[in-house]
Amino acid sequence: MKAKNLYIAAALCAGTFAVSNVANAQDVFVDDAVSVTEFTCDNASHYFSNSRSNWFIEIGGGAGQTLVETKYDNPVTGHLWTAAYSFGFGRWFSPYMGFRIKAIGGALHAETPNWDYPKADSWTSSKHVNLQAELMWDMFNSFGGVNENRVFSIIPFFGLGGDANWDFQDASGNIPAATNCFTKGRAKSVQWTLPVSAGLQFRFRLCKYVDFFAEARATFYGDNWNNVVEGESVDAHVAAMGGFNFNIGGRGWNTFNECNYVSQIASLNGQVNDLRAQLGACAATVASLQAQLPCPEVVQKECNNAPLMATVRFTINSDKIMPTEEVNVYSMAEWLKANPKESIVIAGYADRDTGTTEYNMELSQRRADAVKAALVDTYGIDPSRLTTKAFGSDVQEYSTNDWNRIVIFKQ
């Protein structure tokens, strides 16, 4: 009977090192039982998109009119509507706010006054290009709830930018730079100004990838915009434009509600506490047997038992190993070191509820590769013993889809 006890004690001592390492690695979790009641959530949906969604290119055209003085000591009068053209690109970084870079250009014309004799000191036309960085706000998503299929939206915008105005003409031809009396010595061949803009865009959804828009905008410049420095201190340009938005990657949003994961946190909390109880019982057994006699020197044998937790879980749309899952990678590394002749398959999965089949296959491969890289780079495991395999969302190991954001170690 005594010999049998010695054998058991020796076997337990051989496993003490592995057990103590696992216990030390999990100290951060098991020293104090974590209660799920400590987790709070706001029960609100959070919106996000992948890097390819909600970008757009914008092409448009319309007509604009200047509100400026045309000559020395001349008030702002009616001017001609002239063609304007625009091109822009931008992105909606949330369902409520977006930005765009927009370029607008074209010729500018004023009505030719009826003078008794020709005047050379009056502005009649020029050409300009305006580049604006604008912030956009979707009012309907903000007040009426997020709906990516909404047909009509009103979008106010505000922006800052730069403008180049050149090729100035007067009633008798080109305006000579820095010689016209009405400019008081400030005439230039090219006027550079820093305007601000504001307006409203009316967007009509044609399909997932194309929108039609109509837009009313006003841009405000310094008084020297058209080389006439007189009267009002602000020049302006108003425009009515229309065109098309081409949505690159489509328009849409994924949602995440942290309250949906309370039950999973409770389940994981129970697993951690169960492991804590098992480790405590094992430590008590080892301490009791060690108190009876010294540990004899034994030869450690390879053990084919799987590690305590043979999975690594991930958050939605992520291939980053969470700090709470690093202990599972560590446990597998210790098992592989203890069994140098064993090889494993690192199987990656994704949940079926989010993402396309192709994207989920790529995501599950990245998850498997991330776990393999951690085993090789952090713990020095020979990569020839590790095989990665991606199952995407074609195979669902768990009935609850949220649990299929996972890597499973298999032999």
Side-chain angles (χ1 to χ4, degrees), residues 70-345:
T70 59
K71 69 185 186 68
Y72 179 72
D73 198 24
N74 184 56
V76 176
T77 59
H79 301 297
L80 298 177
W81 286 91
T82 54
Y85 309 94
S86 70
F87 174 82
F89 69 92
R91 189 189 189 200
W92 289 95
F93 47 82
S94 79
Y96 317 105
M97 302 299 295
F99 78 94
R100 70 177 174 185
I101 304 297
K102 183 161 184 169
I104 301 174
L108 306 172
H109 293 279
E111 293 179 347
T112 302
N114 295 319
W115 291 313
D116 295 334
Y117 55 90
K119 292 281 187 177
D121 60 350
S122 61
W123 173 82
T124 58
S125 67
S126 60
K127 300 173 183 177
H128 88 117
V129 172
N130 183 358
L131 185 65
Q132 294 279 306
E134 297 176 339
L135 189 65
M136 309 174 72
W137 173 40
D138 192 316
M139 292 177 58
F140 284 18
N141 275 350
S142 297
F143 296 126
V146 177
N147 180 2
E148 63 190 58
N149 297 318
R150 182 175 281 116
V151 175
F152 174 68
S153 298
I154 298 178
I155 303 172
F157 60 86
F158 171 82
L160 304 171
D163 186 282
N165 200 356
W166 74 96
D167 195 18
F168 297 100
Q169 301 284 320
D170 64 4
S172 61
N174 292 331
I175 296 178
T179 61
N180 291 276
C181 63
F182 66 90
T183 61
K184 302 179 181 179
R186 288 189 287 272
K188 296 180 180 179
S189 59
V190 179
Q191 280 286 6
W192 297 91
T193 51
L194 299 175
V196 297
S197 62
L200 289 176
Q201 182 184 91
F202 304 92
R203 185 179 69 191
F204 301 85
R205 185 181 192 271
L206 302 182
C207 67
K208 180 178 180 180
Y209 298 98
V210 182
D211 301 324
F212 172 77
F213 73 88
E215 182 174 297
R217 62 185 297 121
T219 308
F220 304 94
Y221 303 84
D223 192 25
N224 61 327
W225 180 44
N226 69 329
N227 258 341
V228 178
V229 182
E230 187 63 33
E232 300 293 335
S233 60
V234 176
D235 290 344
H237 181 263
V238 294
M241 310 188 75
F244 296 93
N245 283 333
F246 300 94
N247 302 307
I248 303 171
R251 190 175 70 207
W253 304 95
N254 296 322
T255 60
F256 168 74
N257 189 331
E258 58 188 6
C259 292
N260 294 337
Y261 298 88
V262 172
S263 61
Q264 296 180 30
I265 293 173
S267 177
L268 291 173
N269 182 65
Q271 291 184 42
V272 169
N273 289 330
D274 288 344
L275 290 172
R276 180 177 184 240
Q278 294 175 28
L279 290 172
C282 181
T285 301
V286 172
S288 175
L289 293 173
Q290 285 180 337
Q292 298 179 31
L293 72 165
C295 268
E297 185 175 346
V298 296
V299 178
Q300 294 187 9
K301 296 183 179 180
E302 294 182 3
C303 175
N304 290 323
N305 293 329
L308 293 176
M309 297 180 69
T311 64
V312 178
R313 297 188 183 276
F314 293 83
T315 57
I316 187 171
N317 196 33
S318 173
D319 59 3
K320 304 299 183 184
I321 298 174
M322 297 183 293
T324 56
E325 297 297 307
E326 291 177 357
V327 64
N328 302 330
V329 181
Y330 168 83
S331 297
M332 178 52 69
E334 290 299 307
W335 183 83
L336 288 168
K337 291 177 182 178
N339 297 272
K341 295 182 180 180
E342 296 291 336
S343 298
I344 62 169
V345 175

Side-chain angles (χ1 to χ4, degrees), residues 329 337 372-381:
V329 181
K337 291 177 182 178
K372 178 179 179 180
L375 288 170
V376 173
D377 298 339
T378 304
Y379 300 106
I381 303 301

